[in-house]
Amino acid sequence: GNSVTQMEGPVTLSEEAFLTINCTYTATGYPSLFWYVQYPGEGLQLLLKATKADDKGSNKGFEATYRKETTSFHLEKGSVQVSDSAVYFCAPQKSNTNAGKSTFGDGTTLTVKP
Amino acid sequence: EPEVTQTPSHQVTQMGQEVILRCVPISNHLYFYWYRQILGQKVEFLVSFYNNEISEKSEIFDDQFSVERPDGSNFTLKIRSTKLEDSAMYFCASRDGQGSSRDTQYFGPGTRLTVL
C-alpha cells in the first residue's frame, strides 16, 4: 500500500518568506498526489493535485510537482501570508481502483507571523 | 458549487451507545469514503464504498463499524457500541470517478464525535 513521509513541523515563517514542505511517498503503481489544507477549526480542503509524472499542481500561489524519479511532491510557495497559517497534509491516492483511498501524511503545521 | 454535507456537526454520546453519522455526498458521485482524525493527529482512512458494497476497509474498521447507503443520497457510518477512543472528527468524502476530476475526493466539513 501507499505510505507518505511529510516534513515535520511546526514551521514558523515571517510574512513574504519562501515556503517548502517536503513530502515523499512509497506506492505501488502510480498514485495521484494531493495536498490538502486544514485551517483552524475547519475541515479538509483540497489545495492542489497532480495525477501523473512531471505534472505541476498549483493553486493560491502554492505549487507542487509530481517527481516520479524521487517519489516526491514537495509543496512550495514563494511568498507566504498570515492567512496561509494552517495544517498541510500530503496525500497520495490509489488511482484506477474501486477503492481509491487516500493515505495522509502526519501534517505540517505552518504559522506565518506578520 | 455542489458540496458534501455532514450531520450532525457535533455528536456527544455515552460509552456503549450506538451512533449514526450521516453524510450526503455530491449527487452524481460513485465512490464514497469515511476517514477519521483524532484530535491533533493525522487523518486515517476507515472505509471506501462503491457499487453498494465496501471496496476496502482499514484495520480500524472492525465489527463495531458499518456503512450503508440506504436511499441513494445518504451515506451513513454506524458505530454500534462506542468507546472512548472513538472520539474523533469523522470526515465523509465522495469522488466522481469519471471525467477530468475523477481522482478528486471532496470532503465534507466533518462530524466531531465525543464519547464520554
Side-chain angles (χ1 to χ4, degrees):
Chain A
N2 296 350
S3 68
V4 54
T5 301
Q6 194 174 327
M7 186 172 94
E8 287 186 26
V11 174
T12 302
L13 296 174
S14 298
E15 209 164 21
E16 298 184 5
F18 183 84
L19 169 71
T20 300
I21 301 178
N22 290 338
C23 171
T24 57
Y25 64 91
T26 59
T28 53
Y30 301 100
S32 296
L33 302 175
F34 295 80
W35 277 99
Y36 290 90
V37 58
Q38 187 175 34
Y39 296 103
E42 297 187 15
L44 294 166
Q45 296 181 27
L46 174 66
L47 181 60
L48 54 82
K49 68 175 185 178
T51 57
K52 60 183 189 295
D54 300 325
D55 267 3
K56 178 187 284 187
S58 61
N59 185 26
K60 300 180 182 180
F62 291 88
E63 293 182 340
T65 301
Y66 191 140
R67 300 287 188 201
K68 180 166 165 285
E69 63 278 10
T70 55
T71 62
S72 64
F73 193 53
H74 304 321
L75 183 68
E76 296 182 336
K77 185 172 186 180
S79 176
V80 293
Q81 306 300 312
V82 172
S83 58
D84 293 327
S85 298
V87 183
Y88 293 82
F89 294 94
C90 180
Q93 177 183 305
K94 285 183 182 180
S95 57
N96 297 325
T97 70
N98 287 342
K101 71 174 186 183
S102 288
T103 301
F104 285 80
D106 289 342
T108 301
T109 301
L110 171 66
T111 302
V112 181
K113 296 188 173 179
Chain B
E1 186 175 333
E3 58 183 20
V4 177
T5 59
Q6 290 184 241
T7 54
S9 57
H10 191 188
Q11 174 86 49
V12 181
T13 190
Q14 296 290 324
M15 191 169 56
Q17 294 297 304
E18 174 184 285
V19 294
I20 298 176
L21 309 183
R22 303 183 190 280
C23 169
V24 179
I26 295 172
S27 64
N28 60 338
H29 284 191
L30 302 177
Y31 300 84
F32 313 106
Y33 306 86
W34 283 101
Y35 294 84
R36 79 171 186 190
Q37 184 183 31
I38 295 172
L39 187 63
Q41 299 186 24
K42 69 179 176 183
V43 179
E44 301 172 291
F45 168 76
L46 293 178
V47 66
S48 59
F49 192 86
Y50 169 72
N51 199 26
N52 285 317
E53 60 183 21
I54 290 173
S55 45
E56 188 171 353
K57 60 183 180 180
S58 71
E59 292 178 354
I60 302 167
F61 195 89
D62 61 21
D63 291 346
Q64 293 300 310
F65 291 86
S66 63
V67 289
E68 195 177 31
R69 188 156 160 80
D71 56 13
S73 62
N74 291 283
F75 180 53
T76 61
L77 174 69
K78 182 193 288 186
I79 309 175
R80 288 189 184 81
S81 178
T82 50
K83 303 189 281 285
L84 295 176
E85 54 264 37
D86 293 327
S87 295
M89 181 74 89
Y90 288 80
F91 292 106
C92 172
S94 70
R95 178 168 70 92
D96 185 346
Q98 304 173 85
S100 60
S101 62
R102 60 184 175 274
D103 287 339
T104 301
Q105 292 183 33
Y106 294 85
F107 283 80
T111 293
R112 179 163 297 286
L113 176 65
T114 302
V115 181
L116 303 177

